[in-house]
Amino acid sequence: MSIILEVKNLVKSFPEVCAVKGVSFSIPRGICFGLLGPNGAGKTTTIEVIEMILNNDAGEILYKGKPRGASFREEVGIQFQNTELPQYLTVKETLETFRNLYGRRADIDDLIETCQLEELLDRDNRKISGGQKQRLLLAMALANDPELVFLDEPTTGLDPQARRHLWEIVRTIKRKGKTVVLTTHYMEEAQILCDRIAIMDYGEIIAEGTPQELLNRHRAGTRIHLDIIPEKEKLEGFPWQWFDNDGFLEIHTDSVNHSIEELMRRGIDLSSMTIRSHNLEDLFIELTGHQLRA
Ligand SMILES: Nc1ncnc2c1ncn2[C@@H]1O[C@H](COP(=O)(O)OP(=O)(O)O)[C@@H](O)[C@H]1O
Ligand SMILES: [Mg+2]
């Protein structure tokens, strides 16, 4: 697969902080690439340098194998983390205004359909919900029919339903053959949408790979969670690793069936039990010692 974007040893400092400390990754054409990390990790700075909004201090960025030139600006679409919509315009007027800024233009009906804006076209920008605003911003980012689209935390602050709605649209964009670079601090979003993920913390990439590779690379296994802490004697010699956290018990196991049999044999009450597989949040905590959403 050809590489559409390559970033080598990118460094960007602000007067008070070095926000990006030598970040490298490459993105094959047609995938959804996720930059996952907590607030302040350096995700926005990284993509704003790539987008030519900010200058970098060091490092190299190649678009289709060459330094970014005029074609780069024409062929990328950007959804910023924070954008104010023009007031006193309708959704349709906004979309048309934006589309007319470009020489290369997406088909307007296609944009409306992709971003599911049919019902909103005559609505004033000031009267749309958070999820609807994100869909409009997404359509604006697609106004020049870009090959490469940057979405900076497109779902932050949305309710779960609006978030799922946006996920669907991101999948549609991918099906159209576009390459998507998405930042998020929601691990489930990265796990669901992204073909490759780079996990960032304090300006560095601390792990990179497909979601499955990332999960396999680190202590895998299933988590058994009990909302009670059994008496200590009952857990003596228990063959799997367990942690008694604030009022609950968590067991990390490579064999759920055997672990449950063993818990039952020891007479432990399983009525509050939940079971889930290892996820990227666990990996993040293992690597950094702190939580993604902290
Ligand atoms: N314009 C700026 N001036 C000074 N510091 C900044 C600026 N933008 C970001 N930072 C700092 O750089 C670090 C990374 O920020 P950012 O890239 O926005 O992270 P993220 O998008 O992962 O939340 C943070 O410590 C932030 O405070
Ligand atoms: Mg950000």
Side-chain angles (χ1 to χ4, degrees):
M1 215 185 286
S2 69
I3 299 295
I4 189 161
L5 187 76
E6 190 170 5
V7 174
K8 296 183 195 168
N9 302 314
L10 195 71
V11 178
K12 173 68 185 175
S13 289
F14 295 112
E16 312 257 289
V17 62
C18 183
V20 181
K21 303 171 183 162
V23 157
S24 303
F25 52 82
S26 45
I27 305 182
R29 194 185 287 260
I31 74 159
C32 179
F33 183 86
L35 267 182
L36 174 68
N39 281 334
K43 306 180 296 296
T44 297
T45 307
T46 301
I47 66 169
E48 289 193 346
V49 168
I50 300 171
E51 293 160 351
M52 304 173 98
I53 311 285
L54 297 172
N55 290 321
N56 46 326
D57 302 331
E60 195 181 7
I61 296 158
L62 300 175
Y63 173 65
K64 297 181 178 172
K66 302 197 191 88
R68 295 155 300 167
S71 71
F72 180 77
R73 284 189 182 272
E74 268 168 44
E75 291 173 13
V76 304
I78 300 175
Q79 180 178 1
F80 292 105
Q81 186 163 358
N82 299 302
T83 307
E84 288 305 321
L85 288 169
Q87 293 196 5
Y88 307 106
L89 288 187
T90 65
V91 166
K92 182 152 194 205
E93 287 163 349
T94 310
L95 204 50
E96 279 172 342
T97 307
F98 255 78
R99 198 170 146 271
N100 288 332
L101 295 176
Y102 295 98
R104 165 186 165 132
R105 290 173 201 165
D107 179 73
I108 187 114
D109 294 326
D110 192 36
L111 271 185
I112 292 167
E113 193 193 329
T114 301
C115 299
Q116 302 176 15
L117 297 171
E118 293 90 346
E119 320 261 285
L120 300 173
L121 292 176
D122 297 323
R123 190 87 60 87
D124 188 306
N125 283 339
R126 290 166 298 176
K127 298 198 174 123
I128 58 177
S129 71
Q132 292 166 341
K133 178 179 175 187
Q134 288 302 330
R135 285 186 349 245
L136 173 56
L137 291 174
L138 203 54
M140 286 156 66
L142 298 173
N144 58 332
D145 192 23
E147 288 190 38
L148 176 61
V149 193
F150 294 92
L151 309 177
D152 197 0
E153 302 223 16
T155 67
T156 294
L158 299 187
D159 62 62
Q161 196 191 349
R163 182 173 306 148
R164 285 200 161 66
H165 199 164
L166 217 82
W167 291 353
E168 244 178 70
I169 298 174
V170 172
R171 289 202 190 96
T172 308
I173 296 172
K174 237 184 72 184
R175 272 199 298 277
K176 291 176 188 282
K178 301 187 186 305
T179 310
V180 180
V181 180
L182 173 114
T183 75
T184 183
H185 63 265
Y186 297 113
M187 70 84 198
E188 71 274 33
E189 178 163 298
Q191 212 164 325
I192 289 172
L193 285 182
C194 299
D195 304 290
R196 292 193 70 79
I197 297 172
I199 304 182
M200 265 191 105
D201 195 33
Y202 293 117
E204 290 176 289
I205 291 180
I206 54 172
E208 206 221 313
T210 66
Q212 201 53 51
E213 279 166 6
L214 288 171
L215 291 175
N216 293 345
R217 196 177 307 166
H218 292 271
R219 207 173 48 220
T222 304
R223 306 292 200 249
I224 299 175
H225 179 109
L226 296 180
D227 266 338
I228 45 143
I229 303 211
E231 302 90 76
K232 288 275 174 327
E233 317 74 82
K234 286 193 174 173
L235 285 165
E236 218 164 276
F238 188 75
W240 291 274
Q241 212 180 4
W242 56 271
F243 303 88
D244 88 32
N245 288 321
D246 247 347
F248 65 86
L249 180 82
E250 189 172 84
I251 295 162
H252 297 183
T253 177
D254 52 1
S255 172
V256 181
N257 291 35
H258 288 132
S259 305
I260 293 176
E261 274 165 18
E262 184 65 23
L263 289 167
M264 286 168 69
R265 203 181 61 74
R266 291 166 181 249
I268 292 172
D269 176 12
L270 300 185
S271 52
S272 69
M273 181 173 68
T274 47
I275 300 175
R276 67 169 177 85
S277 43
H278 178 75
N279 62 31
L280 289 178
E281 179 93 36
D282 301 316
L283 169 62
F284 187 81
I285 294 169
E286 269 170 44
L287 291 172
T288 66
H290 61 96
Q291 300 201 330
L292 257 173
R293 297 206 209 173

